[in-house]
Amino acid sequence: MESTTDPPMEATTGPPSLRLPARAARALVLAAVFTCAACGLVYELALVALGSYLVGNSVTQASIVLSVMVFAMGVGSLAAKPLQGRPIAAFAIVEAALALLGGLSVLALYAAFAWLNLYVPALIVVAFLVGALIGAEIPLLMTLLQRIRRQDAGSAVADLFAADYVGALIGGLAFPFFLLPVFGHIKGALLVGVVNAVAGIAVVLWLFRRQIGRAARIALWTGMGAVLLVLSGTYLLADGFEVSARQALYRDPIALSKRTPYQEIIITRRVALSGQPDLRLFLNGDLQFSSVDEYRYHETLVHPALSGARGKVLILGGGDGLALREVLRYKDVRSATLVELDPEMIRLARTYKEIAALNQRAFDDPRVRTITTDAFSWLRGQTGSFDSIIVDMPDPDDVATAKLYSVEFYGLVKRALAPGGRMVVQSGSPYFAPKSFWCIEKTIREAGFATSPYHVDVPSFGDWGYVLAVPGTTRPELKLAPETPDLRFLDSDVLRAATVFGKDLRHRDVDVNTLVHPRLVQYEGGEWHNT
């Protein structure tokens, strides 16, 4: 049985029951504190990042995870008080549970999202349990440190929290710069669980092995071995699980899956009985186009904007090259600049056979210049001007993308427009997300534009809207240029009808979207999550 009495204290050689001198033993326990803190922060960041990928709205995800975990840490600290009489066994059990739960957390939440549609409740439960186990570590580690050599409370707390905070720093940096890009969400969490188990259990059991009975020691080592076996086995099966879970989220077979530092890119492919293929591109789960009807979306986006001056055209977003394809159909376009954040999207648009065929290898045109950077930052440093600007950004379902629909962003676009220039913005669905649509339109007006909102039917998306805008107070005319090439969908009659909104789709009482008040995220989340 484990002794509950304090062992003899020695300043330099350590208690006889320890395998190391006191100074080395304390250093080893503090190293365990450092490692456990790093692992704990990785678990937190993994849950936040997973929610941002799967659900969007990174601020909400971070708020849920951090608030629940911090609360649970307090609960865990209180719950650990009765365990301080048997700190070695208690700490080993806590670390085994934390390594197992933390390591499997991402996989479990992915399964809850893909098959059970219970992501948020599962997230709260997992965040609470992980937080409670993290909170239980500190009181038990403090007791173990005091067993090695008595210190006054202030010095002991200072040593413990110094190791804890430095470990958190390393874990916080390791997650985005190493674990996530190299191993991905699921394997990264499993690997950290293994490290957690080794550092938290093996070090303590090895150091204090003489203070616990043989049967307890065997049981604890066996438990740690079982945890490592489960985590290692799951690691080997993780790729197959991820493929199955990801496929459950999509209607059609997945042809390509790629996670970049910026987003998850999924391409699906299905062939209908007619023999017509349907290639679809998804970014972070949101459909970007279907090869069956993308021409409706892109013709409607591009050609009304190019009915005015179009010598120099700027496309913000649109890394698939489909809007660029429509721009290049005009022979009098002298240059087309495309600004896309993710270089992998540009690479796929150039090299993925079916996408390159859809965009008609637009990126090979000598008039095209591509820039891979954040559009907001690029516009801030931009000194040139453009005759037409096409804003083809993903839907603003989190703060990172909502800034690209803000008053400040449209102010930068306005500054980049040449006199008489026109801007068009893809603005979401006025049917499924009316508040979001009219928020975008009102935000553009707030930036000093006159606007002409319009909408068409794109079968893959449903009713889809756009906003054509020019600086000033005179609304731009929605028309096609005489030089417009032959189009498959759009003509003057369609454009005239596109300006008419049903009574249930007309202007709503909405606020503008700014950097300080990203109201569009709230609108998007409330509307699309209810469809």
Side-chain angles (χ1 to χ4, degrees):
M1 296 294 291
E2 176 188 338
S3 172
T4 58
T5 60
D6 292 329
M9 302 300 164
E10 298 182 18
T12 57
T13 61
S17 58
L18 293 179
R19 299 173 63 89
L20 293 173
R23 187 181 298 275
R26 286 178 58 80
L28 195 60
V29 173
L30 290 174
V33 174
F34 170 92
T35 306
C36 292
C39 294
L41 192 62
V42 168
Y43 298 144
E44 293 183 36
L45 295 175
L47 296 184
V48 172
L50 180 68
S52 300
Y53 274 124
L54 297 181
V55 183
N57 198 347
S58 55
V59 173
T60 299
Q61 296 302 311
S63 298
I64 292 174
V65 171
L66 297 180
S67 59
V68 170
M69 290 190 77
V70 170
F71 167 73
M73 288 168 65
V75 174
S77 295
L78 290 174
K81 289 175 68 175
L83 305 177
Q84 293 179 44
R86 305 175 68 86
I88 301 171
F91 181 74
I93 293 171
V94 165
E95 290 307 299
L98 180 58
L100 190 63
L101 180 61
L104 296 174
S105 60
V106 173
L107 183 145
L109 288 172
Y110 205 161
F113 181 81
W115 286 295
L116 303 177
N117 198 26
L118 292 173
Y119 180 78
V120 173
L123 174 65
I124 293 172
V125 171
V126 170
F128 180 86
L129 293 175
V130 171
L133 291 170
I134 292 173
E137 290 176 324
I138 296 299
L140 297 174
L141 284 166
M142 179 67 74
T143 304
L144 292 176
L145 281 174
Q146 294 291 62
R147 280 199 168 197
I148 298 172
R149 177 165 56 87
R150 289 288 186 187
Q151 274 185 290
D152 65 89
S155 297
V157 169
D159 291 343
L160 189 68
F161 279 98
D164 186 82
Y165 293 150
V166 174
L169 170 67
I170 300 303
L173 295 176
F175 177 74
F177 296 112
F178 174 66
L179 289 169
L180 190 58
V182 175
F183 297 98
H185 269 114
I186 295 177
K187 285 188 171 181
L190 290 167
L191 184 63
V192 170
V194 170
V195 173
N196 199 164
V198 172
I201 304 174
V203 170
V204 174
L205 285 183
W206 178 80
L207 182 63
F208 293 96
R209 65 187 304 270
R210 295 172 182 169
Q211 296 190 26
I212 54 179
R214 184 172 181 274
R217 190 163 62 246
I218 291 173
L220 292 174
W221 280 110
T222 302
M224 188 191 77
V227 169
L228 293 177
L229 184 63
V230 170
L231 293 176
S232 301
T234 306
Y235 186 95
L236 296 176
L237 300 173
D239 288 336
F241 168 85
E242 189 169 3
V243 169
S244 299
R246 186 185 296 120
Q247 184 61 71
L249 301 175
Y250 298 93
R251 182 192 70 180
D252 302 330
I254 293 176
L256 180 142
S257 172
K258 182 79 174 180
R259 190 181 297 279
T260 77
Y262 307 101
Q263 59 197 347
E264 183 180 59
I265 301 173
I266 299 289
I267 296 174
T268 67
R269 184 192 296 111
R270 177 173 62 95
V271 178
L273 294 177
S274 63
Q276 182 181 28
D278 184 358
L279 188 80
R280 296 185 173 219
L281 171 69
F282 296 84
L283 300 180
N284 290 341
D286 294 332
L287 177 64
Q288 303 303 303
F289 71 77
S290 163
S291 61
V292 173
D293 56 22
E294 57 80 16
Y295 66 91
R296 282 185 166 227
Y297 172 93
H298 290 101
E299 287 181 2
T300 309
L301 173 71
V302 171
H303 294 285
L306 297 192
S307 63
R310 53 180 177 269
K312 293 179 63 180
V313 179
L314 172 64
I315 302 174
L316 301 175
D320 50 36
L322 299 177
L324 180 62
R325 175 198 66 201
E326 297 299 319
V327 168
L328 296 176
R329 296 179 70 183
Y330 292 88
K331 302 303 181 184
D332 55 349
V333 170
R334 299 189 305 275
S335 68
T337 301
L338 187 144
V339 181
E340 163 67 39
L341 177 63
D342 193 345
E344 181 63 22
M345 191 64 248
I346 299 292
R347 190 190 70 80
L348 285 173
R350 288 178 177 274
T351 62
Y352 195 81
K353 182 179 178 180
E354 287 157 296
I355 297 181
L358 274 179
N359 65 40
Q360 299 176 3
R361 299 197 174 278
F363 290 97
D364 295 337
D365 192 298
R367 294 174 290 173
V368 174
R369 175 192 178 206
T370 58
I371 300 170
T372 52
T373 189
D374 173 65
F376 193 102
S377 301
W378 183 80
L379 281 172
R380 291 186 66 185
Q382 177 61 26
T383 56
S385 60
F386 298 87
D387 298 308
S388 298
I389 298 180
I390 298 165
V391 184
D392 189 17
M393 295 294 184
D395 290 343
D397 55 5
D398 62 20
V399 174
T401 49
K403 76 174 184 179
L404 304 174
Y405 291 81
S406 64
V407 172
E408 294 85 350
F409 179 77
Y410 295 129
L412 294 174
V413 174
K414 181 182 176 184
R415 192 177 67 182
L417 272 174
R422 296 154 73 91
M423 173 185 75
V424 66
V425 179
Q426 88 81 12
S427 306
S429 174
Y431 179 79
F432 294 109
K435 288 186 177 180
S436 301
F437 177 82
W438 292 112
C439 173
I440 294 171
E441 190 270 342
K442 187 173 183 179
T443 299
I444 294 171
R445 285 192 285 112
E446 184 71 15
F449 287 89
T451 63
S452 292
Y454 60 107
H455 63 130
V456 298
D457 178 59
V458 181
S460 297
F461 293 156
D463 187 32
W464 209 256
Y466 312 81
V467 176
L468 182 67
V470 296
T473 57
T474 303
R475 297 180 61 185
E477 181 183 359
L478 201 62
K479 63 179 182 177
L480 295 176
E483 307 82 11
T484 300
D486 290 337
L487 304 179
R488 298 173 62 185
F489 166 66
L490 195 65
D491 61 18
S492 297
D493 291 335
V494 172
L495 271 183
R496 279 193 293 272
T499 61
V500 179
F501 290 82
K503 291 174 64 177
D504 58 338
L505 301 182
R506 293 175 189 170
H507 193 284
R508 304 295 182 98
D509 183 18
V510 293
D511 295 317
V512 300
N513 185 63
T514 68
L515 293 180
V516 178
H517 297 289
R519 296 182 175 90
L520 193 51
V521 176
Q522 176 185 349
Y523 294 146
E524 281 275 322
E527 292 176 322
W528 282 110
H529 290 174
N530 292 329
T531 59

